[in-house]
């Protein structure tokens, strides 16, 4: 098996469409981490993503077979994608003389639809999510005779992605470890099989988001498993189930998996910009976030030193510009340069001044206040940290010594995404309220569908919506009901992914009466 992949990678024709991308040193981050950090710039591809490699390798074989049979002019290919795979297939098909149809969810941002059309793809909008679009693409392939091109779980796609590793080891054969982003696992599988064949001592480390760690779950279970839900920030790797072939290769050739938070991804996007003046998409910065986490942990044990050379793959730069709003808000938390707290302070004159004095002159980045009773108030406060975890410990000790009741919300996703913008939104009376968090599709009529299904059956007591440029937004909604069982059957029928968050401590502190 390894020999087959090695041969395919070495002889791959991907450079008829793709380019050899540079490996660049990140001097500022290298100095900060105490090791040499290098970034493989797959954002330099014509489609701004590594996905072109796998798509072209696969389609080149399809075109060769059709040419031999004399059917090239009538050969059609089809795929489903909301992003980088779509552009890779469209451009590859155009160069090879194939007719490509790309099924994209109707929620896909117009910038991505236009890019696919610009590369020659015929775009068909269908469904509100990838799974619906993918099922439709597979059905169309069966009905029309078009050839379905999978995004990651395919031996030819895997081999095409493996050409990244061939270039990388040619550019630097002294690496200690290579960090590779994992969605469906095609890039990891292709790179790992090549690296272990050529330089088996180089550690291969997959990196996943905390909220979309399908490879980590599969390795623990010993087989691919389907996650109940995945986070959407790093939408390029928001995959519920690792590819079957990819998992087999990962079991054999991947040494370790590191998971990172959305805040850590935001911090990595900022690092890339500050060192290289490049803007990565969240999935593109994922591997660097894992590298940073690994280096910080292993420098404490002496396993990472100034002589250690680490490389990460910047896998793509197809960023929705609105996402930068979220990144700028969260990167300081990801770098441990900011912490956010819920604190109860006395409701009296001079209380805020005394609280600031307790912080010892540290800068306050955010301050939200709400009167809670005649003798106390709840505040949501952001505090600037100059010295990371050490200074955070000093702040918590100072608050403890001053007798404040407080919660560190720096790792509370609901608090950072919603509650910080809603402090003070308490009802004027006690209500029986159940609160849910939804993934809300961005398409015309979605809100009316929600309101028509639920709005006239129950009193909506709270509703907060925020979108960061993705195909799916995030909604927090409250309903005046005593028990979740009263509504959850209807929520299932609605079809939007959801979870009950009524027990969340930040919600209880800032958004409930009494």
């Amino acid at each position: 098996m390894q020999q087959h992949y090695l041969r395919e990678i070495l002889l791959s024709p991907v450079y008829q469409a793709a380019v050899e991308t540079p490996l660049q040193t990140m001097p500022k981050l290298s100095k900060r981490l105490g090791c040499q950090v290098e970034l493989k710039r797959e954002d330099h591809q014509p489609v701004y993503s590594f996905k072109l490699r796998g798509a072209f390798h696969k389609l080149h074989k399809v075109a060769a077979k059709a040419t031999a049979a004399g059917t090239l002019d009538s050969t059609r290919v089809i795929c489903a994608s909301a992003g980088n795979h779509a552009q890779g297939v469209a451009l590859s098909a155009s160069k090879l003389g194939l007719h490509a149809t790309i099924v994209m969810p109707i929620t896909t941002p117009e910038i991505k639809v236009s890019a696919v059309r610009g590369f020659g793809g015929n775009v068909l909008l269908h469904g509100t999510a990838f799974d619906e679009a993918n099922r439709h693409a597979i059905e169309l392939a069966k009905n029309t005779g078009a050839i379905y091109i999978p995004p990651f779980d395919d031996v030819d796609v895997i081999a095409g992605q493996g050409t990244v590793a061939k270039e990388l080891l040619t550019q630097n054969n002294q690496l200690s470890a290579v960090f590779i982003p994992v969605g469906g696992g095609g890039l990891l599988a292709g790179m790992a099989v090549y690296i272990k064949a050529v330089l088996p001592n180089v550690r291969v480390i997959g990196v996943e988001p905390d909220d979309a760690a399908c490879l980590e779950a599969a390795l623990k279970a010993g087989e691919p498993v389907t996650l109940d839900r995945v986070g959407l920030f790093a939408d390029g790797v928001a995959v519920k189930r690792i590819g079957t072939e990819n998992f087999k290769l990962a079991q054999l050739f991947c040494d370790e998996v590191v998971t990172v938070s959305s805040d850590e991804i935001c911090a990595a996007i900022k690092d890339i910009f500050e060192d290289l003046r490049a803007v990565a998409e969240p999935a593109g910065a994922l591997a660097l976030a894992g590298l940073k986490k690994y280096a910080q942990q292993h420098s404490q044990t002496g396993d990472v030193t100034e002589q250690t050379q680490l490389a990460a793959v910047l896998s793509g730069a197809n960023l929705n510009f609105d996402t930068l709003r979220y990144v700028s808000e969260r990167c300081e938390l990801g770098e441990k340069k900011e912490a956010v707290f819920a604190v109860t302070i006395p409701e009296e004159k001079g209380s805020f001044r005394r609280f600031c004095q307790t912080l010892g002159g540290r800068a306050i980045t955010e301050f939200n206040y709400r009167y809670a009773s005649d003798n106390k108030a709840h505040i949501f406060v952001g505090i600037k940290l100059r010295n990371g975890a050490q200074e955070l410990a000093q702040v918590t000790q100072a608050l403890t010594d001053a007798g404040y009741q407080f919660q560190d919300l720096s790792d509370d996703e609901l608090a950072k995404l919603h509650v910080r913008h809603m402090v003070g939104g308490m009802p004027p009376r006690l209500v029986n309220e159940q609160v849910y968090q939804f993934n809300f599709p961005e398409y015309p009529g979605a809100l009316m569908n929600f309101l028509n299904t639920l709005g006239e059956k129950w009193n909506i007591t709270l509703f907060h919506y925020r979108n960061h440029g993705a195909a799916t937004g995030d909604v927090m909604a409250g309903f005046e009901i005593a028990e979740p069982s009263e509504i959850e059957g209807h929520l299932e029928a609605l079809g939007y992914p959801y979870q009950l968050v009524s027990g969340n401590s930040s919600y209880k502190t800032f958004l409930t009466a009494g």
Side-chain angles (χ1 to χ4, degrees):
M1 176 175 63
Q2 191 176 24
Q3 289 302 313
H4 166 77
Y5 277 110
L6 187 61
R7 181 179 181 277
E8 286 288 309
I9 292 168
L10 289 171
L11 299 178
S12 178
V14 297
Y15 299 105
Q16 294 177 32
V19 299
E20 180 174 327
T21 56
L23 180 67
Q24 295 183 330
T25 300
M26 299 183 68
K28 294 178 182 177
L29 185 59
S30 297
K31 182 177 180 180
R32 199 165 82 231
L33 295 178
C35 61
Q36 182 171 318
V37 178
E38 298 185 336
L39 202 61
K40 180 64 171 163
R41 295 291 303 276
E42 282 300 289
D43 57 317
H44 280 212
Q45 293 295 350
V47 299
Y48 309 107
S49 162
F50 77 96
K51 286 284 189 177
L52 177 60
R53 297 175 183 264
F56 191 87
H57 191 92
K58 176 70 174 179
L59 265 62
H60 187 272
K61 290 200 169 187
V62 171
K65 186 176 180 179
T67 299
T71 59
L72 181 64
D73 289 344
S74 60
T75 299
R76 300 182 179 277
V77 297
I78 190 168
C79 76
S81 171
N84 296 339
H85 180 57
Q87 296 178 56
V89 170
L91 179 58
S92 298
S94 177
K95 286 185 173 290
L96 293 166
L98 298 166
H99 304 281
T101 295
I102 317 296
V103 183
M104 309 183 80
I106 64 175
T107 56
T108 306
E110 180 59 33
I111 187 173
K112 294 186 177 182
V113 175
S114 298
V116 172
R117 287 175 174 152
F119 288 126
N122 172 42
V123 175
L124 177 61
L125 298 176
H126 181 89
T128 60
F130 169 76
D131 289 343
E132 292 178 62
N134 195 44
R135 285 193 295 269
H136 189 62
I138 293 171
E139 188 66 25
L140 283 175
K142 291 178 181 177
N143 294 337
T144 65
I147 299 169
Y148 175 72
I149 308 299
F152 49 79
D153 197 7
D154 179 272
V155 293
D156 294 323
V157 172
I158 292 169
Q161 318 301 28
T163 59
V164 178
K166 180 183 70 172
E167 293 174 17
L168 178 62
L169 296 189
T170 300
Q171 292 163 329
N172 186 349
N173 60 14
Q174 301 299 313
L175 293 169
S176 301
V178 177
F179 295 80
I180 305 166
V182 180
L187 181 62
L188 174 72
M191 290 188 67
V193 70
Y194 185 89
I195 291 170
K196 290 301 184 181
V198 177
L199 290 175
N201 291 331
V202 176
R203 291 185 65 78
V204 174
I205 301 174
V207 186
E208 297 184 288
D210 289 337
D211 54 9
C214 62
L215 175 56
E216 182 182 59
L219 291 171
K220 289 179 180 178
E223 61 182 0
V225 296
T226 302
L227 302 178
D228 293 334
R229 65 195 304 268
V230 293
L232 299 167
F233 173 59
D235 56 350
V237 290
V239 177
K240 290 184 177 181
R241 186 181 180 91
I242 195 78
T244 302
E245 177 69 8
N246 306 330
F247 175 68
K248 292 177 183 177
L249 295 171
Q251 276 187 309
L252 292 170
F253 304 118
C254 178
D255 295 294
E256 186 178 343
V257 176
V258 174
T259 64
V260 296
S261 68
S262 294
D263 290 351
E264 289 168 326
I265 294 172
C266 290
I269 292 173
K270 182 181 177 183
D271 287 320
I272 293 169
F273 178 77
E274 290 188 339
D275 250 323
L276 303 175
R277 291 299 184 266
V279 180
E281 63 182 274
L286 176 63
L288 183 65
L291 182 155
K292 289 174 59 183
K293 190 170 188 175
Y294 177 92
Q296 289 162 351
Q297 291 173 345
H298 287 75
S299 63
Q300 299 172 3
T301 61
D303 295 327
V304 171
T305 66
E306 290 183 0
Q307 286 71 46
T308 303
Q309 299 184 45
L310 306 176
V313 180
L314 196 175
S315 57
N318 286 305
L319 178 78
N320 296 321
F321 194 76
D322 287 347
T323 302
L324 291 175
R325 189 173 51 197
Y326 178 94
V327 172
S328 64
E329 183 179 276
R330 302 289 286 269
C331 61
E332 295 289 294
L333 287 163
E335 293 176 332
K336 308 301 180 186
K337 292 181 178 179
E338 182 187 21
V340 291
F341 288 87
V343 184
T344 299
I345 63 174
E347 177 57 41
E348 59 187 25
K349 293 179 180 179
S351 184
F352 179 40
R353 181 178 59 83
R354 290 194 296 272
F355 173 76
C356 294
Q357 289 174 335
T358 302
L359 298 180
R362 294 177 177 87
I364 292 178
T365 59
E366 183 173 359
F367 185 84
N368 296 304
Y369 159 87
R370 178 59 172 170
Y371 170 88
S373 71
D374 288 341
N375 56 17
K376 66 180 180 181
H378 299 306
I379 61 173
F380 187 106
V381 60
I383 302 170
K384 189 80 171 177
L385 302 176
R386 295 179 295 273
N387 195 23
Q390 181 180 345
E391 189 171 6
L392 177 60
Q394 295 171 355
V395 170
T396 56
Q397 188 60 53
L399 293 175
T400 301
D401 292 344
Y404 287 109
Q405 294 180 356
F406 66 91
Q407 304 168 56
D408 183 351
L409 302 178
S410 303
D411 294 321
D412 187 322
E413 189 63 23
L414 195 73
K416 293 182 292 185
L417 188 63
H418 289 293
V419 175
R420 73 192 309 173
H421 305 287
M422 300 174 68
V423 173
M426 293 185 181
R429 59 180 175 84
L430 287 172
V431 294
N432 288 322
E433 185 179 65
Q434 299 294 336
V435 179
Y436 293 84
Q437 194 171 9
F438 297 84
N439 294 136
F440 210 78
E442 283 283 350
Y443 70 94
L447 177 59
M448 285 307 301
N449 182 37
F450 181 95
L451 296 175
N452 289 337
T453 303
L454 300 172
E456 296 183 5
K457 294 182 175 68
W458 295 277
N459 181 38
I460 297 177
T461 55
L462 177 156
F463 194 94
H464 181 249
Y465 166 79
R466 202 157 190 242
N467 177 266
H468 298 289
T472 305
D474 203 282
V475 166
M476 181 178 173
F479 302 90
E480 191 173 6
I481 53 176
E483 296 294 335
S485 59
E486 296 179 36
I487 196 173
E488 289 188 349
H490 296 272
L491 297 183
E492 291 290 343
L494 181 65
Y496 298 160
Y498 71 92
Q499 59 179 327
L500 180 69
V501 294
S502 301
N504 180 272
S505 61
S506 60
Y507 155 72
K508 288 183 174 180
T509 300
F510 291 108
L511 301 177
T512 59

